[in-house]
Amino acid sequence: MKVDDLSFEVRDRSLNRIGLILPQDLVGATVVVRFNNTGTWALKLPSGNPMGELLRLPGYGLIVTGPNGETIISGPTLTARLEQTMNNTDGTWQIEGASDDIILSERLAYPTPTTADVTAQTTPQDVRTGAAETVIKAYLDANIGPSAPAARELAGLVIEADQGRGTTVTGVARFNTLQGLFYDLAQVGGIGYRLAQPNGGIEFTAYQPVDRSSTIRMDIQNRQLSSSIYSYGTARVTRAIVAGSGEAENRLFIERTNTDSLNAEVAWARRIEVFRDARQAGTSSELITAGDELLVDGGKTVVQMSVTPTDDTKMVYGVDWGLGDTVTIVANNIEATAVVTEVGIQVSNDGVRIGATVGTPLGVDHESRVLNNNATLAQRVSNLERR
C-alpha cells in the first residue's frame, strides 16, 4: 500500500468533509482498527497547518479512506497537544482520536428504552432473543437510533438493514454500555460490527467474518511476513458455572462447555471453573448466553501472533483478508488458525506499513494483561452495582 492509496479528510461537527490533509503531511500518522472494538488514530501536524488547526477543534474528526474507497476508520478528535522547542518555536500539534465505535462505549442500554427519563424505567431489564445481528441492531435502534426518544437519539445515525446473521443469542440490558452488551453478543453469535462514516452520516453495519485459513498463511518462511512475534498460553476458563435467579438451594445453575474449552482442558491437564453471577437472568437461554460469553474468548488455548505482513499483492489487507477473518499463522513448526483482532497502519517516509494482531484480543505484554484484568474487574463490580 502506498501513501497515495490513502485519503485523510477532516470533518466538522456536522460530519461534513471540509478538507484533505496532503500526503507530505501524513508522515508519522497511525491508524489502529480493532475487531468489534474501538480503534484509534493519531497525527502530527505543524502549527498553522490549515487542516491541523481545524482537526484539533472539539467536535471535529477524521475520515480515512482506503484504495478501494472503503472507510478504514472515522471518528472524533479526543486530545490535542502542542509541542514547542527552541528550534521549533511555532510548535507541532499531536492530535489523537478514536473511531466512531467509541459512541457505543459512551452510551447505555436502558431497561426501558422507550423513555429517556431514568426515574421512569418501568422494567427491570430489556431482554431480547434472536439472531445476533437482529438483537444488536434492535438494541441500537431502541436506545440511540430512530426509534429512541428524541433526547437520546444520535443525529445522523444510519442503521444498515437487518439480514438476520449470526446464531441465536439472548441479551439482557440494564444500564450496561452498548459496547459491552454488543461485544459479548457478537462474539457468541459469530458476527462483526462497526460504526463508520462512509458518506453523510455515521452508519452501523454488521458482517460475517470469513474463514480464510486455507488461503491466507502468515509465515516468515513463505515471505508473507517481514517480522512476527508468536505466543500462546493456557485457557482462562474451561467450564463456565452460571447462576441465575432464585435463592439458596432453589437457585438455578447451569454448566457450559464447548469443544475448544474441553480440548484445552485435555491439552493443559487443567479443569478451570469460573463462576458467573447472572441473577438477573430469568430464562435458560439467558443463562446459556451468559456462559457462552465467558467461553468464547477465554475458553480455549490463548494463541496470539503480532505480525508485519509484506507488501505482497497476493495478501492485501482489506481485499484478501480483514478484521475478524480467520487466517493460518505459522511459527517454525507450529501452525494454528486464529482470528485477526487488530490491524495497525503507519505512514512512514518510505511508504505505508501494516501490522496485525492475530489471535486473542488481549495484548501479549504484561501491561496489557494487567489493564485487561482491571477492566474486567471494573465491569464485574459495575454489573453488581446495577443489580
Side-chain angles (χ1 to χ4, degrees):
M1 187 181 295
K2 302 176 182 178
V3 178
D4 293 339
D5 294 330
L6 300 174
S7 170
F8 283 67
E9 296 176 274
V10 177
R11 74 183 189 192
D12 63 15
R13 294 182 182 88
S14 300
L15 305 181
N16 298 309
R17 300 171 189 247
I18 58 174
L20 189 69
I21 300 175
L22 299 177
Q24 59 264 33
D25 294 328
L26 293 176
V27 175
T30 59
V31 169
V32 178
V33 289
R34 298 182 174 91
F35 180 52
N36 291 348
N37 221 323
T38 303
T40 59
W41 56 264
L43 293 95
K44 279 190 175 183
L45 296 169
S47 179
N49 180 285
M51 288 298 101
E53 294 299 319
L54 292 171
L55 181 61
R56 68 181 179 84
L57 296 177
Y60 282 61
L62 187 71
I63 303 172
V64 181
T65 306
N68 56 1
E70 293 285 332
T71 301
I72 295 175
I73 193 171
S74 65
T77 296
L78 298 183
T79 64
R81 183 177 72 249
L82 180 63
E83 300 176 354
Q84 296 173 288
T85 66
M86 291 292 292
N87 296 324
N88 181 11
T89 55
D90 289 333
T92 300
W93 282 103
Q94 172 75 22
I95 307 170
E96 300 177 0
S99 65
D100 283 315
D101 304 280
I102 196 172
I103 294 168
L104 303 178
S105 298
E106 297 172 338
R107 303 295 293 271
L108 302 178
Y110 280 18
T112 309
T114 52
T115 176
D117 186 353
V118 294
T119 67
Q121 302 292 298
T122 58
T123 52
Q125 62 254 338
D126 181 7
V127 180
R128 300 175 189 256
T129 299
E133 177 184 3
T134 303
V135 171
I136 288 172
K137 287 181 176 176
Y139 277 126
L140 184 72
D141 182 37
N143 283 278
I144 64 172
S147 298
R152 299 197 67 215
E153 183 179 355
L154 178 66
L157 175 63
V158 177
I159 303 176
E160 171 196 47
D162 178 39
Q163 298 181 44
R165 289 168 289 196
T167 59
T168 299
V169 298
T170 297
V172 181
R174 180 175 173 78
F175 295 118
N176 32 347
T177 66
L178 291 175
Q179 170 58 17
L181 178 64
F182 291 1
Y183 180 84
D184 288 341
L185 294 175
Q187 292 293 89
V188 173
I191 65 169
Y193 62 87
R194 69 184 299 225
L195 275 173
Q197 183 180 353
N199 295 302
I202 296 173
E203 184 177 6
F204 182 88
T205 57
Y207 61 96
Q208 201 120 36
V210 180
D211 185 347
R212 304 185 189 275
S213 57
S214 62
T215 57
I216 301 297
R217 292 174 56 86
M218 295 190 171
D219 186 359
I220 288 284
Q221 302 299 327
N222 66 6
R223 306 188 69 81
Q224 296 298 304
L225 298 177
S226 59
S227 66
S228 69
I229 301 174
Y230 177 81
S231 68
Y232 65 92
T234 181
R236 296 186 295 274
V237 53
T238 63
R239 296 175 187 265
I241 312 301
V242 187
S245 58
E247 297 294 334
E249 69 275 7
N250 295 320
R251 192 172 188 187
L252 180 62
F253 291 89
I254 67 165
E255 177 182 307
R256 294 293 291 172
T257 62
N258 59 28
T259 302
D260 286 335
S261 71
L262 294 178
N263 287 341
E265 191 170 277
V266 172
W268 293 89
R270 297 176 64 197
R271 175 179 170 127
I272 306 171
E273 300 167 342
V274 174
F275 177 81
R276 179 159 188 174
D277 186 347
R279 67 184 65 196
Q280 81 283 1
T283 65
S284 58
S285 62
E286 294 173 46
L287 293 178
I288 289 171
T289 298
D292 290 346
E293 288 170 358
L294 278 177
L295 294 169
V296 69
D297 282 335
K300 55 190 172 186
T301 296
V302 175
V303 175
Q304 186 179 69
M305 195 171 189
S306 299
V307 300
T308 304
T310 60
D311 193 13
D312 191 300
T313 57
K314 293 178 292 187
M315 202 176 74
V316 179
Y317 167 67
V319 177
D320 301 308
W321 60 281
L323 278 177
D325 289 346
T326 300
V327 299
T328 297
I329 56 177
V330 182
N332 291 340
N333 62 341
I334 301 172
E335 182 173 317
T337 59
V339 173
V340 179
T341 56
E342 183 178 278
V343 174
I345 301 173
Q346 183 179 55
V347 180
S348 59
N349 286 315
D350 57 352
V352 178
R353 302 180 186 276
I354 295 179
T357 299
V358 182
T360 171
L362 300 185
V364 292
D365 57 283
H366 175 71
E367 182 181 3
S368 295
R369 294 180 188 276
V370 171
L371 290 174
N372 178 77
N373 290 338
N374 288 343
T376 302
L377 177 61
Q379 184 179 31
R380 291 172 61 189
V381 171
S382 177
N383 288 341
L384 289 174
E385 289 173 345
R386 288 201 308 274
R387 296 167 193 158

